[in-house]
Amino acid sequence: MTPATGTALPELIVDLTPTTVIATALATRDFTPVHHDTAKARAQGSKDIFLNILTTMGLVERYVTDWTGPEAVITSINVRLGVPAYAGDRLSFSGVIVERDGDRYTAQVRGRVSLGDHATGTVTFVLPGSA
């Protein structure tokens, strides 16, 4: 694969079921109640339980590597968090290659939920043999 600048990555949709939100929080050892206890999340002003940061970062990485395949090596992820990604919502990723330098690429990535942008940023990776 030798993608050009401007190449769009295919969309990735993640349904944020309560099980997904809870399981991913626990898998990342984040036991903060707002990620698994609806009553405690609401008591702190949230609409519902929501994704934790480590899950969001993992999904951003997954989004890029699902497209690149296993040969890619992620060298940098820079993400800005936006609105919460609540249980019951759908997280939709889109992206585009914005820079290429030899076998090093940078993709601009956006993860959106019904409230707006949940995560925006860049992922830089190396595709061996694409220079």
Side-chain angles (χ1 to χ4, degrees), residues 1-5 7 67-69 71-73 75 97 99-106 124-131:
M1 171 190 321
T2 307
T5 300
T7 300
W67 176 70
T68 63
E71 66 275 5
V73 176
T75 59
I97 301 298
E99 186 177 330
R100 178 179 180 200
D101 181 13
D103 61 357
R104 183 175 305 275
Y105 297 84
T106 300
T124 301
F125 57 94
V126 173
L127 279 176
S130 67

Side-chain angles (χ1 to χ4, degrees), residues 64-86:
V64 172
T65 59
D66 276 1
W67 176 70
T68 63
E71 66 275 5
V73 176
I74 303 288
T75 59
S76 168
I77 300 177
N78 183 3
V79 171
R80 180 172 179 250
L81 294 177
V83 299
Y86 290 115

Side-chain angles (χ1 to χ4, degrees), residues 10-32:
E11 182 179 47
L12 171 67
I13 303 289
V14 179
D15 287 319
L16 301 177
T17 65
T19 301
T20 298
V21 173
I22 294 166
T24 57
L26 297 178
T28 60
R29 300 181 56 90
D30 186 342
F31 305 112
T32 308

Side-chain angles (χ1 to χ4, degrees), residues 16 18 26 28 30 40 47 55-56 58 62 90 102 105 117-118 122 129:
L16 301 177
L26 297 178
T28 60
D30 186 342
K40 289 185 179 176
K47 178 176 106 173
T55 298
T56 297
R62 172 192 165 191
R90 176 174 276 181
Y105 297 84
D117 287 342
H118 170 63
T122 57

Side-chain angles (χ1 to χ4, degrees), residues 51-70:
L51 284 184
N52 70 348
I53 295 167
L54 291 172
T55 298
T56 297
M57 297 302 286
L59 289 172
V60 167
E61 183 174 346
R62 172 192 165 191
Y63 172 60
V64 172
T65 59
D66 276 1
W67 176 70
T68 63

